[in-house]
Amino acid sequence: MSPRSDLKYLIDHGHSPDIMSSIAGNASAFIKEAAVRWFMLLDVRGSTSFGHLTRARMEVKEVSIEHSPDDPQKMSSKMVCELEVTPGEQRTSWPELLSFKELMNRNELEMCNEEGVLSQGCMTGIMDEGSAISLLLMRLLEDENQSIGVSQTFSFFFHHPAPPAGSKIRIVSRSVSATDDIGCCQSEIWDIKNHRLIVTGTQHQMKPSIVGDSASVHNRKTKL
């Protein structure tokens, strides 16, 4: 039996070469592990993290570095994940008062809306993290001291109706461009059974500001 690649298993059993080898693609072990570790960093609060149950079930299937489909002279990072759409607990009523922590922990808010299909909010979160990580992986090839970027714009195009609970989806994320400060990345969600593209998202990011940069520049100018 091949090693599992869902994040919960990787968190519980560490990052041995055997486990990382279950992730397909030509990327190095360092890049594959970086993809997994950044999913884990986004889940740093554990069960109280927003989207924790969804993220923990995510299976990282492939991490590759390949020629860009738009420009063969440029390289692009590609990350493929799979995830089952799970229904939440069905409720007929809500408590009058609900704390933010309780709200985040409720299963029914994880993936499906009240109609029992994958919610647009969940799709947005999945594509946000997937595309951002794919862009980061491309930057890591040039500089290992990189951090995930800050979203500037995020646009979506919905191609088909959202799949119902019980469906399995494939999330394909790619870097488009990675300049000095601004990067572009894309993500697609596919309905595996019906071979349908559900939604496409394109995101522009900027590198995060480093605390102390402004002060350092000011000090240098003062000394001059």
Side-chain angles (χ1 to χ4, degrees):
M1 181 178 178
S2 60
R4 288 167 50 190
S5 57
D6 58 280
L7 294 185
K8 185 179 186 305
Y9 185 85
L10 293 172
I11 291 170
D12 293 342
H13 294 79
H15 304 89
S16 71
D18 288 340
I19 294 176
M20 282 299 149
S21 67
S22 68
I23 301 176
N26 64 359
S28 66
F30 168 76
I31 295 297
K32 290 179 179 179
E33 184 170 340
V36 173
R37 285 192 179 278
W38 268 98
F39 271 119
M40 293 169 62
L41 284 171
L42 293 171
D43 203 54
V44 67
R45 295 181 182 273
S47 61
T48 61
S49 297
F50 179 77
H52 165 71
L53 296 179
T54 299
R55 193 179 297 111
R57 293 193 306 271
M58 189 80 70
E59 294 183 68
V60 182
K61 291 293 188 179
E62 177 188 347
V63 180
S64 297
I65 305 298
E66 56 190 23
H67 290 285
S68 169
D70 302 314
D71 186 347
Q73 293 186 0
K74 293 186 177 182
M75 303 303 291
S76 172
S77 62
K78 174 185 175 184
M79 180 175 67
V80 180
C81 300
E82 292 185 2
L83 179 66
E84 182 181 351
V85 179
T86 55
E89 175 188 354
Q90 298 298 317
R91 298 180 64 90
T92 57
S93 62
W94 289 87
E96 291 184 4
L97 296 177
L98 199 64
S99 70
F100 180 78
K101 183 176 180 180
E102 290 173 329
L103 188 65
M104 292 300 98
N105 284 334
R106 290 194 177 277
N107 288 346
E108 58 265 45
L109 297 184
E110 283 292 322
M111 296 195 73
C112 291
N113 59 21
E114 60 184 6
E115 296 176 351
V117 299
L118 183 62
S119 71
Q120 292 185 0
C122 184
M123 287 188 275
T124 300
I126 290 172
M127 290 190 295
D128 181 19
E129 294 184 359
S131 59
I133 291 175
S134 68
L135 177 60
L136 174 65
L137 298 181
M138 195 65 211
R139 293 192 184 279
L140 286 174
L141 291 174
E142 302 174 356
D143 181 2
E144 294 185 4
N145 298 313
Q146 291 285 345
S147 182
I148 206 160
V150 180
S151 299
Q152 299 298 302
T153 64
F154 207 164
S155 58
F156 308 93
F157 189 88
F158 292 89
H159 304 268
H160 286 95
S167 303
K168 197 160 188 179
I169 57 174
R170 178 177 295 116
I171 305 100
V172 182
S173 303
R174 292 184 178 88
S175 66
V176 177
S177 66
T179 58
D180 290 340
D181 295 319
I182 301 175
C184 180
C185 44
Q186 293 180 336
S187 190
E188 302 169 346
I189 295 181
W190 289 78
D191 181 339
I192 295 177
K193 180 180 179 181
N194 295 309
H195 305 279
R196 287 179 177 173
L197 176 60
I198 304 302
V199 59
T200 302
T202 302
Q203 179 174 191
H204 290 86
Q205 287 195 339
M206 290 191 69
K207 286 186 177 180
S209 300
I210 300 175
V211 177
D213 268 7
S214 298
S216 299
V217 171
H218 175 73
N219 290 337
R220 287 198 297 270
K221 288 182 178 179
T222 303
K223 290 179 181 179
L224 291 174

